[in-house]
Amino acid sequence: MKLLNISVLIALALSSCATKKGAENGGDNSKSEKPVNTQVEFWLTNGDKSALLQRQNVPMFFNTAMKTGTTVVVDDTKTFQTIDGFGYTLTGGSASLINGLPKAEKAALLKELFSTAGNGIGISYLRLSIGASDLSAETFTYNEMPAGQSDPDLKQFSIAKEMTDLVPVLKQIIAINPKIKIMGSPWTAPTWMKDNQAYRGGSLKPEYYQAYARYFVKYIEAMKAQGIVIDAITIQNEPLHPGNNPSMYMTPEDQTNFIKNALGPVFESAGIKTKIIIYDHNADRPDYPITVLNDPAANKYIDGSAFHLYGGNISALSKVQEAHPDKNLYFTEQWVGGPGNFAEDLKWHVSTLVVGATRNWSKTVLEWNLAADPQYRPFTPDGGCTSCLGAITIGKDVSRNVAYYVIGHASKFVSPGSVRVSSNQQDNIQNVAFKTPEGKIVLIAMNTSASPQTFHIKYNGMVVTTSLPAGSAGTYSWKSNTRSN
């Protein structure tokens, strides 16, 4: 990533203001004219692709009087939720495409995706499908049986289908980033557990609640045996959308009963510490997770709720947080429909998800599939997504799409354990700020307007002035706790 000669405006006090401030400081006005020894790293992505997560000339804070105009004030004394990470779903199809690359090319790509060194974007959180998702080449679970047969003791349980691509790729990822967090989400239970005996639709039969709870335990233990720690599971991907292939319908009442009568007690008995996360569907139904969390017997086993945004408003996450402030929130999926519109997708995804979800208490922001081929494959027949654009496209070459840069603007700079801090929202400059464990402040800003925007960033009495072209995303980073003198 080379330096671009992008003009960055440095805020200088007007001479009259400097004179006034000098008088206030005992006649010495040099303090209002000198730059503070704090540089700001600035990374830019433009909607026209003229800059793609590229580092710019380094601006510097000045100890100066505030100018008029749009000002983003960052206050790291006011803190909110801790961040778990930013990333994607590593679908079965994504794993197959990555694993099919030549050895050296695969190693270089994984380093770029999962390391922050050099041009790496430092993906820090992955979601996996437990069994097949609709972006797998075929439908399967880990415990399928011939028609008319069942296996309540799960004697036939096996993750053998994942040993070809998913597990080997995950092992390479973990070698690059041992601290990466992983979430598992099922698209369906084994078909013999369902009332329609099919991959698509249907509901989990209550008589198999205990068996399905043990199915989760076996999955977690099988992955652990491969050196893969499952930090969290969701109960069901999109429980109110039975049209995917595979999929399963689950009401909030059913999810409540499954957790309190089966999954929670079974996890507790087996010593499983993996987090239990509910809902995992659109923001138009905050009543769903609230209903589940309102049940005390289920509530005690639940870490939090997960959301997608194919319906509703991102502010619904805050409604759940207000109802149950002791529970966590996660944003776990949003697709980019191929072929996509880079400029509009960049603007919407950064402002609504990277900014919007975290400003509404989410600990994660996950885009949908990490990789697809140029025809958006693989996907399951009769119900799989036929136009899901991956963060990368793997064909004759590897190309990077809009979701790569959307997540990269956060994952490269906001490490796990970072805490969201206060920053005031502006109409044209949507933004969110974090303080990292490494002692840096990170501000992610999106110019959602149709014209260039100049704005000020104020922190601890210091000011820097910068500008973003129309429809551009910027990440700014500087050392925390630096104050004007």
Side-chain angles (χ1 to χ4, degrees):
M1 298 178 185
K2 61 183 181 179
L3 290 175
L4 296 184
N5 292 320
I6 300 295
S7 175
V8 180
L9 302 174
I10 302 298
L12 295 172
L14 295 173
S15 59
S16 59
C17 293
T19 300
K20 180 179 179 182
K21 188 170 181 65
E24 293 170 350
N25 289 321
D28 179 8
N29 64 15
S30 63
K31 291 174 65 178
S32 61
E33 296 176 343
K34 289 182 178 180
V36 179
N37 189 25
T38 297
Q39 293 183 325
V40 182
E41 293 185 9
F42 173 29
W43 300 73
L44 177 71
T45 295
N46 291 330
D48 63 4
K49 303 184 185 181
S50 58
L52 294 170
L53 197 57
Q54 288 179 316
R55 189 170 180 173
Q56 309 303 299
N57 291 331
V58 180
M60 186 175 290
F61 276 110
F62 270 62
N63 176 3
T64 183
M66 177 62 67
K67 282 193 172 186
T68 59
T70 301
T71 302
V72 176
V73 180
V74 177
D75 182 357
D76 60 353
T77 67
K78 297 178 182 177
T79 61
F80 302 89
Q81 80 277 19
T82 301
I83 298 300
D84 276 359
F86 299 87
Y88 308 90
T89 298
L90 179 66
T91 60
S94 297
S96 296
L97 290 166
I98 292 170
N99 205 37
L101 291 169
K103 184 177 180 180
E105 188 176 353
K106 175 171 57 176
L109 177 62
L110 291 175
K111 184 177 180 181
E112 176 188 338
L113 293 172
F114 294 95
S115 170
T116 57
N119 66 340
I121 64 169
I123 295 168
S124 51
Y125 204 107
L126 284 176
R127 182 173 176 238
L128 312 176
S129 62
I130 300 175
S133 75
D134 56 309
L135 290 187
S136 296
E138 60 179 341
T139 52
F140 66 91
T141 72
Y142 303 136
N143 203 149
E144 281 306 301
M145 298 295 293
Q149 297 183 31
S150 62
D151 181 25
D153 293 329
L154 306 179
K155 293 179 180 179
Q156 302 303 313
F157 181 94
S158 172
I159 63 166
K161 283 184 176 291
E162 309 291 23
M163 299 306 294
T164 302
D165 295 314
L166 180 66
V167 168
V169 168
L170 280 172
K171 287 182 176 181
Q172 289 181 264
I173 290 169
I174 291 167
I176 296 167
N177 181 2
K179 295 182 179 180
I180 193 164
K181 289 193 174 183
I182 298 172
M183 169 186 287
S185 299
W187 265 238
T188 183
T191 57
W192 54 268
M193 296 185 185
K194 299 169 69 177
D195 56 12
N196 69 346
Q197 306 282 295
Y199 282 108
R200 189 187 213 168
S203 297
L204 180 66
K205 298 174 76 171
E207 58 261 41
Y208 291 123
Y209 278 8
Q210 296 294 320
Y212 194 40
R214 293 195 302 273
Y215 178 89
F216 279 98
V217 172
K218 282 187 169 288
Y219 166 72
I220 293 164
E221 291 177 341
M223 295 297 273
K224 184 178 180 181
Q226 297 299 322
I228 300 163
V229 175
I230 304 299
D231 181 71
I233 56 96
T234 65
I235 306 300
Q236 171 61 41
N237 173 71
E238 299 189 346
L240 300 179
H241 177 36
N244 269 348
N245 186 24
S247 58
M248 188 170 76
Y249 184 74
M250 184 177 272
T251 67
E253 293 75 20
D254 289 342
Q255 196 157 115
T256 300
N257 289 329
F258 174 63
I259 293 168
K260 71 180 181 181
N261 296 322
L263 188 64
V266 167
F267 268 27
E268 191 171 64
S269 177
I272 298 295
K273 303 301 183 184
T274 299
K275 301 179 184 76
I276 295 173
I277 298 172
I278 60 172
Y279 191 44
D280 208 10
H281 207 171
N282 291 333
D284 58 351
R285 289 291 306 274
D287 61 295
Y288 187 118
I290 290 172
T291 296
V292 180
L293 290 168
N294 282 346
D295 187 295
N299 179 291
K300 66 180 182 178
Y301 297 114
I302 298 168
D303 172 85
S305 310
F307 284 87
H308 306 175
L309 195 60
Y310 305 112
N313 190 287
I314 197 67
S315 62
L317 278 67
S318 285
K319 292 181 180 179
V320 179
Q321 198 275 337
E322 291 166 8
H324 292 277
D326 59 324
K327 299 299 180 180
N328 293 313
L329 291 162
Y330 302 84
F331 190 87
T332 49
E333 182 187 313
Q334 193 69 27
W335 83 320
V336 175
N341 179 319
F342 188 96
E344 290 303 313
D345 290 334
L346 177 73
K347 184 191 304 182
W348 188 89
H349 283 252
V350 173
S351 63
T352 309
L353 304 184
V354 174
V355 173
T358 54
R359 289 187 77 98
N360 284 278
W361 297 95
S362 183
K363 294 170 70 68
T364 62
V365 175
L366 308 182
E367 291 278 341
W368 179 208
N369 52 318
L370 178 56
D373 77 3
Q375 288 75 46
Y376 315 116
R377 298 175 302 191
F379 47 79
T380 57
D382 302 322
C385 179
T386 59
S387 57
C388 283
L389 180 67
I392 58 174
T393 297
I394 299 179
K396 291 182 179 179
D397 300 305
V398 176
S399 57
R400 291 142 190 84
N401 304 316
V402 68
Y404 173 96
Y405 300 103
V406 169
I407 292 298
H409 264 279
S411 59
K412 185 175 180 67
F413 311 98
V414 184
S415 53
S418 296
V419 177
R420 182 170 72 88
V421 299
S422 174
S423 65
N424 59 312
Q425 194 68 290
Q426 299 288 346
D427 288 342
N428 291 329
I429 303 296
Q430 299 291 296
N431 68 84
V432 65
F434 306 91
K435 184 175 182 178
T436 73
E438 297 79 22
K440 288 196 170 184
I441 301 296
V442 177
L443 177 73
I444 301 170
M446 181 74 220
N447 178 5
T448 57
S449 75
S451 59
Q453 296 291 318
T454 296
F455 63 100
H456 315 293
I457 302 170
K458 184 177 182 181
Y459 173 73
N460 281 349
M462 305 177 300
V463 179
V464 63
T465 303
T466 184
S467 62
L468 284 174
S472 295
T475 297
Y476 302 84
S477 177
W478 63 89
K479 184 179 179 181
S480 66
N481 297 323
T482 301
R483 295 180 180 274
S484 59
N485 296 312

